[in-house]
Amino acid sequence: MMQSWLQRRWPDIRAKGQLNFVLVRGLVVWGGLMTLAMYAMLLVAERRQGLELRYAWPLVPVFCLPAGAFWGLISWHWNEYLYRKLGFDKDNRKQ
């Protein structure tokens, strides 16, 4: 029987800890990608529409990076909930 992503990969991710998950996958990956995407959109808006958005540029990481960390935290708790609810944590204790 094929295992789910949660059953296969979550134990390794879980072993690295919540802080690592929130900082790396949340803050750096999601927050960083959101920051880059917003900078790209601001750049396009400035050039195509002639808008002056230089005051918005410093606010982008102020909002995007914490949002990424928040996503990481929510995602961690959701995956932990599912992992326990589906009983995968009991399978690991038996080994």
Side-chain angles (χ1 to χ4, degrees):
M1 179 184 251
M2 190 171 166
Q3 290 182 329
S4 71
W5 174 93
L6 193 66
Q7 196 172 7
R8 278 183 286 119
R9 302 226 17 239
W10 190 247
D12 294 334
I13 294 168
R14 187 182 201 211
K16 293 177 185 174
Q18 180 182 6
L19 185 62
N20 179 279
F21 183 83
V22 170
L23 291 178
V24 173
R25 293 188 184 225
L27 187 81
V28 175
V29 174
W30 284 102
L33 289 175
M34 272 195 298
T35 299
L36 292 175
M38 290 301 295
Y39 278 147
M41 287 189 269
L42 286 173
L43 188 63
V44 168
E46 281 182 342
R47 292 195 178 168
R48 286 195 174 182
Q49 298 176 2
L51 300 173
E52 179 114 6
L53 299 172
R54 69 173 174 238
Y55 298 112
W57 285 78
L59 295 175
V60 171
V62 169
F63 290 110
C64 290
L65 294 176
F70 182 68
W71 175 89
L73 192 62
I74 296 297
S75 194
W76 171 271
H77 285 289
W78 179 249
N79 284 321
E80 274 294 299
Y81 169 77
L82 289 176
Y83 191 74
R84 290 184 182 139
K85 184 78 171 174
L86 296 172
F88 296 148
D89 59 338
K90 294 176 185 131
D91 291 341
N92 282 345
R93 288 185 208 148
K94 291 177 186 174
Q95 294 175 353

